[in-house]
Amino acid sequence: MFWNRAMETIRPDELADLQLKRLKWTIHQAQNVGLYRRKFKEAGISPDDIRTLDDVEKLPFTSKKELQAGYPFGLFAVPMREIVRVHTTSGTTGKPTVVGYTRQDLENWSELIARNMTMIGLGEDDIFQNAVNYGLFTGGLGFHYGAEKIGATVVPSATGNTRRQIEMIEDFGVTAIHCTPSYALHLAEVAESMGKTLDTLKIGIFGAEPWSESMRAELERRLGVKAFDSYGLSEMYGPGVAFECPEHNGLHLWHDCYLAEIIDPKTGERLAPGERGELVITPLVKEALPLVRYRTGDVTRLMDDECTCGRGQKIARLTGRSDDMLVIRGINVFPSQIEHVLRALPEVGEQFMVYIDRVNHLDEMTIEVEMSKAGFSGELQDLTRMQKKIANELHNTLGLRTAVRLVEPGSLPRFEGKAKRVIDRRGIL
Ligand code: DLL
């Protein structure tokens, strides 16, 4: 099913024309912003130098730091009276990044969410529980208006009060839920403890943080849903940038609205098609905040397999952020790799936490793992066996020795929004 068949299946040559036209528009729009006037001047480039899509490489990147330096409204390209809403990023350090929207921006954003939801078969007959934070986080209102647009019945439950959320799913006959994968896991846990099977639930939309294929298998099994990955970032409206179709093999990026490049995060060089690197996006229709070559920090690759659904080029699932990468004793480790290993082990329960310390000038990684009730016989030697097995599996995948500490089921923190499972204590020691 399509929301906007013409745009979703646009021919590559037509798409290229449209992208070029819109890229030129974005560059003109960006000229309303002092930062870009300065950056273009420094790079010795004028909007008229953009004649082909490849000319985008002549343009300077925009970093998150530059966006933050413009706090709060310094990068808006329209007068404040045209801004009808602001959101902020969910960053935890320093001031948040503020993003703004014109009326047309909000319209474009809902259109993208509507495409995504229709793509996975949702429509007027669905009851959609939006179990993410409503407020400054873009996940709440972003999905809310997209879901209303397709005519679904929206239950704006937000997060928290998990038992009540479960009752609502049951009482209202909710067919689709949207939340972070971490919260979905918690919902599954609480539903099980209440003896609820949530039979009406068919679809789970999960995003806002990396989650592994093992996590997908677990969520699908425990919630009885088909799980779909949803990617986005506040700087590009929010959710809606790329989304999985029923093929579950990569996420369709909406190329009429976002020009995507993959670069080497160290050199800034553009990588060959199919290579994994940092995703750089130039939005093509954003009025209030027209960013140029924005470095997302997210790691993925452009896929070249044609999708049977007929939509455009996909990106691979996001394995982590280039700045999320931990370097432990010289070895690069993505938290998502740790998660992938742990979730595949029956000995491992719901949650884990990773701590990184520097002991005698050496990095030490300790992983606290809740053990699963099923995997533990009650015998002490069983604990040692489980600990060894988990450490071995981690060693095989990461190439790193880690200390594993088993803890009681239910003893580690649960997350309603994005999870924070890695605590790097090297800097503060
Ligand atoms: O997380 C927008 C969103 C809301 C996306 C709801 C999907 C669902 P921010 O708070 O600005 O916006 O955080 C954006 O989260 O750069 C990625 O690092 C990460 N992220 C988002 N979606 C995914 C995903 C929202 N599906 C940052 N897989 C991004 C992996 C994701 N990481």
Side-chain angles (χ1 to χ4, degrees):
M1 276 195 289
F2 292 92
W3 177 257
N4 181 345
R5 183 187 284 270
M7 237 356 136
E8 292 176 50
T9 61
I10 185 170
R11 285 205 328 253
D13 56 331
E14 281 178 43
L15 175 64
D17 288 348
L18 183 67
Q19 284 182 318
L20 180 59
K21 193 172 115 207
R22 290 183 169 176
L23 175 63
K24 289 179 179 172
W25 175 85
T26 292
I27 307 302
H28 277 285
Q29 187 76 352
Q31 290 234 300
N32 295 332
V33 181
L35 174 78
Y36 283 116
R37 283 197 300 274
R38 234 179 11 256
K39 280 171 82 84
F40 293 164
K41 202 169 164 204
E42 271 165 27
I45 187 153
S46 93
D48 300 331
D49 295 329
I50 304 299
R51 293 192 196 91
T52 70
L53 278 179
D54 283 336
D55 287 337
V56 73
E57 281 196 76
K58 296 178 185 161
L59 295 165
F61 293 116
T62 307
S63 67
K64 194 172 181 76
K65 274 213 180 82
E66 285 171 315
L67 206 53
Q68 280 166 336
Y71 179 86
F73 306 144
L75 264 70
F76 289 177
V78 298
M80 274 315 276
R81 81 189 116 79
E82 288 178 36
I83 302 276
V84 295
R85 195 194 301 163
V86 293
H87 280 285
T88 65
T89 61
S90 49
T92 48
T93 46
K95 295 256 193 206
T97 306
V98 182
V99 295
Y101 305 74
T102 63
R103 241 177 249 292
Q104 185 60 48
D105 283 328
L106 291 183
E107 185 50 43
N108 298 344
W109 187 17
S110 324
E111 146 90 21
L112 295 184
I113 301 288
R115 287 188 200 175
N116 293 330
M117 295 186 83
T118 312
M119 172 164 78
I120 61 173
L122 295 174
E124 287 173 348
D125 294 328
D126 284 288
I127 302 187
F128 171 74
Q129 189 152 321
N130 200 17
V132 289
N133 182 347
Y134 270 69
L136 290 166
F137 178 56
T138 53
L141 291 177
F143 260 91
H144 183 99
Y145 288 109
E148 280 189 355
K149 202 177 187 71
I150 64 163
T153 307
V154 184
V155 183
S157 66
T159 54
N161 209 344
T162 308
R163 293 176 73 85
R164 182 80 196 103
Q165 300 252 7
I166 309 264
E167 282 164 13
M168 278 193 287
I169 296 175
E170 191 172 53
D171 296 346
F172 298 173
V174 169
T175 57
I177 188 156
H178 171 225
C179 57
T180 61
S182 315
Y183 192 51
L185 197 65
H186 184 48
L187 276 171
E189 197 178 24
V190 176
E192 283 158 17
S193 74
M194 292 166 72
K196 304 285 188 196
T197 48
L198 307 180
D199 296 331
T200 53
L201 210 53
K202 301 278 177 298
I203 283 183
I205 298 173
F206 306 126
E209 62 183 357
W211 51 299
S212 61
E213 283 302 318
S214 353
M215 178 92 150
R216 185 206 298 276
E218 186 165 349
L219 290 175
E220 292 195 335
R221 181 174 56 79
R222 294 178 64 179
L223 286 171
V225 293
K226 272 268 151 228
F228 292 88
D229 192 2
S230 157
Y231 168 73
L233 58 163
S234 316
E235 297 89 324
M236 301 293 151
Y237 290 151
V241 174
F243 209 88
E244 262 178 355
C245 72
E247 292 285 304
H248 292 285
N249 176 29
L251 290 81
H252 288 285
L253 191 127
W254 300 115
H255 299 278
D256 57 315
C257 296
Y258 301 107
L259 187 66
E261 301 171 77
I262 302 287
I263 62 157
D264 178 331
K266 291 205 184 77
T267 62
E269 295 282 314
R270 199 190 267 197
L271 293 177
E275 282 191 85
R276 192 173 282 278
E278 180 179 344
L279 177 66
V280 168
I281 304 180
T282 305
L284 299 174
V285 293
K286 285 186 78 214
E287 291 186 343
L289 193 60
L291 300 168
V292 173
R293 300 190 88 198
Y294 184 68
R295 292 190 59 160
T296 65
D298 294 319
V299 178
T300 183
R301 68 187 166 84
L302 287 166
M303 297 171 65
D304 52 10
D305 32 346
E306 265 177 40
C307 191
T308 50
C309 82
R311 294 180 180 83
Q313 191 176 33
K314 293 182 286 196
I315 55 170
R317 296 191 72 200
L318 293 109
T319 43
R321 296 181 52 78
S322 49
D323 52 7
D324 232 24
M325 195 179 70
L326 303 161
V327 182
I328 297 166
R329 277 176 260 140
I331 298 177
N332 297 349
V333 178
F334 283 103
S336 56
Q337 290 176 296
I338 302 174
E339 185 195 307
H340 189 68
V341 173
L342 294 180
R343 296 239 177 264
L345 292 171
E347 286 83 358
V348 173
E350 304 294 332
Q351 299 286 342
F352 65 92
M353 287 294 291
V354 179
Y355 299 93
I356 302 155
D357 296 290
R358 186 154 288 155
V359 184
N360 296 332
H361 309 291
L362 267 187
D363 298 330
E364 295 291 344
M365 181 156 76
T366 309
I367 306 190
E368 280 187 351
V369 177
E370 279 185 9
M371 54 191 178
S372 74
K373 287 190 190 112
F376 181 46
S377 66
E379 299 291 326
L380 212 55
Q381 73 254 35
D382 218 25
L383 284 183
T384 326
R385 181 192 60 78
M386 284 160 74
Q387 238 159 354
K388 272 206 182 116
K389 178 173 174 196
I390 297 169
N392 274 345
E393 291 289 329
L394 286 166
H395 188 251
N396 289 344
T397 305
L398 310 177
L400 256 184
R401 190 173 39 77
T402 54
V404 173
R405 200 154 57 214
L406 290 171
V407 300
E408 296 242 340
S411 62
L412 293 177
R414 265 62 183 155
F415 302 95
E416 291 178 351
K418 300 188 193 223
K420 285 185 193 63
R421 294 202 174 89
V422 180
I423 300 185
D424 192 340
R425 299 187 283 213
R426 286 175 295 187
I428 52 171
L429 285 182

